[in-house]
Amino acid sequence: MVKRRDYQPIYIRAARRKRRWRHVGWFALLVVLVTLGIFGWQTWQENQQNQLNQYPVQGVTINQGSGYLDFQQLAKHHQFVYIQATSGATYSDNDFSNNYSRAQGADLKVGVMHTFSFTSSAQRQVAHFKQTVGQRTGGLPIMVAVSYYDQYNSSNRRMATQGQKLKRVVTRLERTYHQGVVVYASRTVLAQFVRPVLPNQTEWVANSQLGHYGDRVALIEYDANGHLSQNGQSQAVGFTVFNGSHQQWVHFYQQD
């Protein structure tokens, strides 16, 4: 007996071919998009590396969220590290002492960081910093980080008073430690809040693009949420470059 052939209407076969070609088209489009994405990512990385190569001095910022860092390994590719110490008048980073002690054994320039508080007096902030840090301030200018939060922004009419507080914090730290202070903030905060009260202050531009900046800008943070791979683990760090040559870097860490 002859097996019956499965005859189907021509429109069903056409619809199936159409779906098949549609799937092939979507797959081809996906391959093109993935290829372009990989090419774009590689191009971006190459451009980023080319830009980084223009800055011979590079470093990182760390805090207790960074985990256990191998500073000897860090020193193979970076020249400096800034370690979070205090914030406001009460907070101290849990890992400051340990990080600072271990960093001393590596070929790195070390700096310490204080985060400015709008709600604590200048006197209390500096006193807390001195109590926590003591003389463990490293060989780099002390970093004071400033960022807007809550109602403390450019629309607050009392920000001029807050600016004077920041000035007192910076001045007292400079007089106490005689090693300079660099203020870390976004370009907006620097322009609106910092420069009106500290027009000649050394600056550190936060989470910004690599590029050309004036002499006032000493450091450029180009990735605030970076990750460093060490011993198979990912460590959360901020990536920063020094805005100058090796010779200018020597002057920066030797200033007092």
Side-chain angles (χ1 to χ4, degrees):
M1 185 175 67
V2 179
K3 185 176 181 181
R4 189 177 66 177
R5 183 176 296 175
D6 184 18
Y7 290 100
Q8 295 179 339
I10 190 170
Y11 67 84
I12 294 180
R13 295 199 300 272
R16 286 183 175 177
R17 285 197 298 269
K18 188 176 181 180
R19 285 197 298 271
R20 191 180 306 119
W21 281 109
R22 185 181 298 142
H23 292 158
V24 170
W26 279 115
F27 178 76
L29 179 60
L30 179 62
V31 170
V32 170
L33 290 175
V34 170
T35 302
L36 289 174
I38 293 172
F39 176 76
W41 172 249
Q42 290 176 337
T43 301
W44 180 86
Q45 283 189 313
E46 288 176 4
N47 290 336
Q48 181 83 337
Q49 189 58 52
N50 288 336
Q51 284 186 302
L52 280 174
N53 290 339
Q54 299 176 33
Y55 300 91
V57 181
Q58 302 176 17
V60 299
T61 55
I62 65 171
N63 56 35
Q64 64 188 39
S66 299
Y68 190 88
L69 278 158
D70 183 337
F71 290 98
Q72 299 288 349
Q73 188 173 336
L74 180 67
K76 293 178 181 179
H77 303 287
H78 297 84
Q79 288 72 46
F80 67 91
V81 58
Y82 266 88
I83 302 171
Q84 181 69 42
T86 56
S87 179
T90 57
Y91 174 83
S92 298
D93 189 283
N94 291 334
D95 289 345
F96 168 70
S97 293
N98 183 269
N99 281 331
Y100 187 89
S101 296
R102 292 190 303 106
Q104 298 303 302
D107 185 20
L108 289 164
K109 295 299 179 185
V110 179
V112 298
M113 304 184 291
H114 169 75
T115 300
F116 174 77
S117 169
F118 291 96
T119 58
S120 303
S121 70
Q123 182 178 357
R124 290 183 60 214
Q125 291 188 59
V126 173
H128 176 59
F129 181 87
K130 290 166 63 177
Q131 182 179 17
T132 301
V133 173
Q135 296 302 313
R136 298 173 298 176
T137 55
L140 296 174
I142 297 166
M143 185 257 263
V144 175
V146 183
S147 61
Y148 292 154
Y149 59 87
D150 297 336
Q151 76 273 27
Y152 299 104
N153 52 56
S154 58
S155 63
N156 188 323
R157 296 181 179 179
R158 300 187 61 188
M159 289 302 278
T161 302
Q162 295 292 338
Q164 292 302 316
K165 182 198 296 183
L166 171 64
K167 185 177 181 179
R168 288 194 294 274
V169 168
V170 169
T171 302
R172 291 183 182 189
L173 287 174
E174 287 177 335
R175 290 176 178 173
T176 301
Y177 291 102
H178 305 289
Q179 66 187 78
V181 170
V182 56
V183 175
Y184 165 100
S186 69
R187 299 175 75 171
T188 298
V189 174
L190 286 171
Q192 294 177 347
F193 181 68
V194 179
R195 289 174 190 163
V197 293
L198 295 165
N200 301 312
Q201 191 65 41
T202 304
E203 296 175 354
W204 183 337
V205 179
N207 207 15
S208 191
Q209 302 264 336
L210 294 174
H212 299 289
Y213 295 84
D215 294 339
R216 180 188 303 174
V217 175
L219 297 154
I220 308 165
E221 179 188 63
Y222 64 92
D223 188 354
N225 301 303
H227 286 85
L228 194 68
S229 180
Q230 284 193 343
N231 304 318
Q233 302 218 348
S234 181
Q235 319 286 150
V237 302
F239 289 109
T240 287
V241 296
F242 175 71
N243 184 34
S245 64
H246 279 295
Q247 185 177 0
Q248 291 169 316
W249 170 246
V250 173
H251 174 72
F252 178 73
Y253 68 73
Q254 288 183 346
Q255 65 176 303
D256 52 34

